[in-house]
Amino acid sequence: MALPKFPITEAEIDRLVAVFYARVRVHPLLGPIFMDAVGPSDAAWREHEDRIASFWRNAIGLDRSFSGNPMLKHLANSDVQPELFPVWLELFRTTAAEVLPGEAAAGISALADRIGRSLSMGLVQFRQRESAPPKLGSLA
Ligand code: HEM
């Protein structure tokens, strides 16, 4: 097993993910977006949370089970707007601080900030490119 980037257990990640998405589901801005994408059933949410827990274990270096493409997933969903990232990250940080020991909360929140920033910048860049006028090429 690889060394994690900071001390955290699989069970702690599972608990954080469960509490975080329970809050996401009832959040006035984030809830409807996730409900549309994931669906209302408990089974669908369990599946989503399993994927997200595996994403975190991979990002932290606990295992390599995650295979997915978060950039494409977010890009494909036009409800996911860059302005919402600070909202998501703030809820994540608050939840982590409540649910995890200090060092784990700080570690995973810093990682979420880094990943969130790059996802959000990616969305802005890709969407700008998509809506830009076509390049006519060099006339020189
Ligand atoms: C504006 C903030 C965000 C919104 C509204 C959002 C929304 C979503 C939605 C709707 C999905 C798809 C769920 C599905 O179809 O089953 C998703 C997947 C995912 N999100 Fe986010 N997300 C946000 C920020 C983040 C951030 C900051 C992270 C990581 C730090 C993250 C990590 C992921 C991952 C790992 C997946 C699964 C990707 C996959 O299956 O390949 N999201 N998100």
Side-chain angles (χ1 to χ4, degrees):
M1 172 130 62
L3 272 183
K5 291 179 178 159
F6 45 82
I8 190 165
T9 66
E10 194 169 327
E12 285 170 338
I13 293 174
D14 287 347
R15 166 123 184 91
L16 170 64
V17 168
V19 177
F20 177 65
Y21 285 101
R23 292 178 181 183
V24 161
R25 282 206 227 194
V26 295
H27 189 281
L29 297 175
L30 301 172
I33 301 175
F34 277 90
M35 278 300 185
D36 274 357
V38 176
S41 83
D42 285 346
W45 275 89
R46 254 196 313 278
E47 207 174 291
H48 174 70
E49 288 170 19
D50 284 350
R51 282 185 71 64
I52 299 293
S54 132
F55 163 79
W56 281 117
R57 292 196 304 275
N58 181 75
I60 291 164
L62 281 171
D63 72 30
R64 291 300 203 75
S65 62
F66 181 71
S67 71
N69 191 328
M71 188 66 233
L72 282 183
K73 260 266 157 87
H74 294 104
L75 197 54
N77 186 332
S78 60
D79 292 334
V80 180
Q81 290 297 329
E83 307 81 69
L84 286 172
F85 276 77
V87 177
W88 189 107
L89 289 165
E90 172 65 24
L91 183 62
F92 190 83
R93 202 177 307 117
T94 313
T95 310
E98 281 173 35
V99 166
L100 298 177
E103 205 180 337
I108 201 165
S109 296
L111 194 53
D113 279 342
R114 263 209 315 280
I115 298 170
R117 211 174 309 130
S118 93
L119 281 175
S120 166
M121 277 168 47
L123 288 188
V124 172
Q125 277 170 2
F126 276 112
R127 286 181 183 160
Q128 245 166 21
R129 213 176 299 159
E130 273 174 359
S131 61
K135 284 219 176 76
L136 298 176
S138 166
L139 297 174

